Amino acid sequence: MIQYLDFKDARCKDCYKCLRECPVKAIKVVDHHAKIIDSRCILCGHCTKVCPQNAKSVHSERADVERLLKGGNVVASVAPSFVSSFDLQDFSVMKLALGRLGFADAEETSIGAREVTAQYKKLLEGGKYKNFITSCCPAVNTMIELYYPKALAYLAPVDTPMIAHAKMIRKRDPKAKVVFIGPCIAKKREAKESGVVDGVLTFEDLSDMFADAGIVLSEIARIPLHAEGGVNRAKYYPISRGIIKSFENYIDGYEFVAVDGAEKCKEVLENIESLSGMFIEMNSCDSACVNGPCSLALKAGALKANADIRKYVGKDLEKNASAPYTPAEGIDFTCVHERRRTEDFIPTDRQLAEILAKTGKTKPEDMLNCGACGYDTCLEKAWAVANGYANIDMCVPYMRERAESMSYEIIQTSPNGIVLLDNDLNILEINGKARELLGIKERDLKGKGIFHYFNPTDFVLAQNDGKNIYNKKVFLEKTGSFIELTIIVMKDRKGTYAVMKDITQETKSEKQLDKVKLETLATTDEVIKKQMRVAQEIASLLGETTAETKVALLKLKKTIQGDEPGAK
């Protein structure tokens, strides 16, 4: 299956702008990136125009067309909005430039548009339509086929100008290959489904091809070429009310109105049954085709584009005022618009309620319907979640509340004291542990200066120097607590926050240990002194005892030897 339109992952993340702007919510979010839902997409291309990252990725058929050109006999059908995108007032210049690219011939799609107007006129004159919706915009046609089946009865059963023109070319030359060139993405799918258009180039594709081939239109414009003749009011088609202006005379019984922009088209289609006698020219693009998603951006935008088209058609009408118009014969321009269906899953009320409950929406007043997620209502968002098109965490109020709740819980339950200050050292947030350490009994401290409760010197130094302070030991005299103070300066110096680690017990334990050490040292010293005295006393006693023993032994020896007097 061809992916006609998508987004580049690298440049698309958690934006949701395309989803908010999509008229039919044909975008899903996968891994934080937007993706097109093919079965829902009408290929209006509005998402590509509003994307702030220019992340659009339009399927290009340039390589396929270049292969066709190599085979020859390829005819280009060029949308009349070429006038504004390429700043030309002469189609012969475009025809010559396309010839240099290898096209055998080139014609304005307005040739087919003229036949479409003729078919509209016949149907209107029949008087059977309560309301009549033009069928020239394939994006609008798909929107009706997918989402507004009741409006199918009013949608003109007529080919778009591209298909009508392709049929005319093929009738003239059955072997010809037809390539449509225009500013529209929806034409790609229409061409593929038609079987009569062999390829589609956007104006962006064509501009690149001209550049690569070295073709400069302004230089070709200096070559005098004879312009094609023929009266064709259908060249007004690419501007708002262009289809209406293609009628030489309005049909009685109908009010002719133009509706531009997908949102306005939706509004009309939703109320189509309440209308009567309306000829409604519908375009999915604001300001019609000159403002198509793949048109080339020019100065002054759609305003100048509108003026360029009017000038171009005015010159044509003035030059060929008397030229006759001969309707095409033998070609069936009928188109049957059938009901299309999406691949959506239809969740039950209970399933939707369960999804809503996951984001805290259990009561009607919980449904904020803020649209931040891209969906108009919370119920639509729940439907998208049920279909796998959206994630629970796309609900911005819910995620913000959850983040704030988690942050609050983390701060309040932290075993450390936490204080958040603004640039003026006023308290923005303080938890219970910090109040305990600082001896603060008040509950509501927001907006009050920290200097009322704590020496602010370290905060001032940190903020002025733009340098953090880590693990500074501080004694809090009021509570007799010891803390390790860490002060972090926030980005761009928009405030500071402090973490106070309670080290009172550790500090007291250290002091107790120091006391024990000192006492132990004193005791040890005393023991040593006593031991020395005992040793000395023992030594003294041992000395006396030894002398007395020596005297006694000598006396005993002498007695034995008879040296004592009277021993015979």
Side-chain angles (χ1 to χ4, degrees), residues 91-262:
F91 182 70
S92 61
V93 174
M94 176 62 72
K95 185 173 182 176
L96 183 55
L98 290 171
R100 293 183 181 180
L101 288 179
F103 285 90
D105 197 3
E107 298 177 357
E108 295 187 61
T109 314
S110 56
I111 294 172
R114 179 167 49 189
E115 299 301 328
V116 171
T117 298
Q119 295 299 313
Y120 287 168
K121 184 178 180 182
K122 288 180 183 178
L123 292 170
L124 289 170
E125 289 173 343
K128 70 173 185 176
Y129 284 90
K130 176 185 174 182
N131 296 299
F132 193 93
I133 301 173
T134 59
S135 58
C136 294
C137 177
V140 169
N141 296 345
T142 303
M143 180 191 288
I144 294 173
E145 292 164 356
L146 276 173
Y147 304 106
Y148 300 97
K150 290 183 179 179
L152 279 172
Y154 309 115
L155 182 58
V158 181
D159 287 326
T160 64
M162 177 184 75
I163 302 301
H165 189 212
K167 287 181 177 180
M168 295 172 72
I169 294 172
R170 286 180 175 275
K171 176 75 184 315
R172 187 173 66 244
D173 183 0
K175 294 183 179 180
K177 300 294 183 182
V178 180
V179 171
F180 174 78
I181 303 173
C184 183
I185 300 173
K187 290 293 186 185
K188 291 177 174 289
R189 180 192 287 158
E190 183 193 10
K192 186 65 65 176
E193 294 175 348
S194 72
V196 295
V197 179
D198 300 283
V200 173
L201 290 176
T202 66
F203 283 157
E204 293 173 336
D205 290 329
L206 184 59
S207 178
D208 290 341
M209 291 174 73
F210 283 157
D212 292 343
I215 297 172
V216 181
L217 296 179
S218 60
E219 294 178 358
I220 297 176
R222 298 190 185 98
I223 301 173
L225 295 173
H226 195 277
E228 293 183 354
V231 177
N232 190 352
R233 299 178 64 88
K235 292 181 180 181
Y236 278 122
Y237 261 55
I239 64 174
S240 182
R241 292 187 64 83
I243 299 173
I244 294 172
K245 289 176 71 66
S246 71
F247 284 84
E248 291 188 10
N249 300 296
Y250 294 156
I251 309 301
D252 293 337
Y254 289 94
E255 182 72 23
F256 285 68
V257 297
V259 181
D260 298 340

Side-chain angles (χ1 to χ4, degrees), residues 352-365:
L352 290 174
E354 289 175 351
I355 292 170
L356 288 167
K358 291 180 180 179
T359 54
K361 298 174 176 61
T362 57
K363 304 183 294 296
E365 54 266 32

Side-chain angles (χ1 to χ4, degrees), residues 44-92:
C44 65
H46 185 58
C47 58
T48 69
K49 301 188 74 173
V50 301
C51 176
Q53 296 297 320
N54 192 29
K56 72 174 181 178
S57 177
V58 180
H59 171 70
S60 176
E61 298 178 37
R62 175 178 172 176
D64 297 329
V65 170
E66 287 174 338
R67 281 192 290 271
L68 286 175
L69 291 174
K70 290 179 180 179
N73 200 23
V74 180
V75 180
S77 173
V78 185
S81 51
F82 79 90
V83 172
S84 55
S85 273
F86 290 93
D87 196 21
L88 290 176
Q89 285 288 313
D90 188 347
F91 182 70
S92 61

